[in-house]
Amino acid sequence: MTTPNDPGYLGYQPTIEPLKLTTGASFVQTIQPTGPALFPAGTTISIVLTAPGGAPLGSWPATVTQTAATWTVPAATCDPIPTNSRYTMLVTYPTSPATTYAWYVGTVIRN
């Protein structure tokens, strides 16, 4: 059965975007809630990285306030991440039980 608003899949669909890293530069990013929305206290957001072959490369937690999630990841941490690695940005809301969404996913591209 399909409906007029059927996207062709079940489940939440993350936004697909590349994550751009520049050799020798820090990764700096800020995400703000839209409109009057706020991040609830206890919200966590992390970028989880895997190598092209799937091996884990670590995660970069954001500093989350009610009005922004920010990352400042030093170049020494970013530079070893190879091109074509994958990332998933996970946001976890402090519901009961906790609810985790994959907000963004994609590949790593490099300058």
Side-chain angles (χ1 to χ4, degrees):
M1 168 187 265
T2 61
T3 63
N5 295 323
D6 185 358
Y9 54 83
L10 295 176
Y12 179 82
Q13 177 65 33
T15 301
I16 300 170
E17 294 282 342
L19 187 148
K20 190 171 211 174
L21 298 176
T22 301
T23 302
S26 297
F27 171 75
V28 179
Q29 180 70 50
T30 299
I31 295 177
Q32 297 176 305
T34 55
L38 299 173
F39 289 126
T43 298
T44 61
I45 305 174
S46 290
I47 295 172
V48 179
L49 297 142
T50 56
L57 295 173
S59 65
W60 301 342
T63 299
V64 181
T65 66
Q66 285 188 321
T67 58
T70 58
W71 288 264
T72 303
V73 182
T77 301
C78 299
D79 284 354
I81 305 297
T83 299
N84 294 322
S85 294
R86 304 274 311 155
Y87 83 94
T88 303
M89 182 186 293
L90 297 172
V91 58
T92 301
Y93 293 109
T95 54
S96 184
T99 304
T100 300
Y101 292 93
W103 247 1
Y104 288 87
V105 297
T107 57
V108 173
I109 58 175
R110 299 200 65 89
N111 274 352

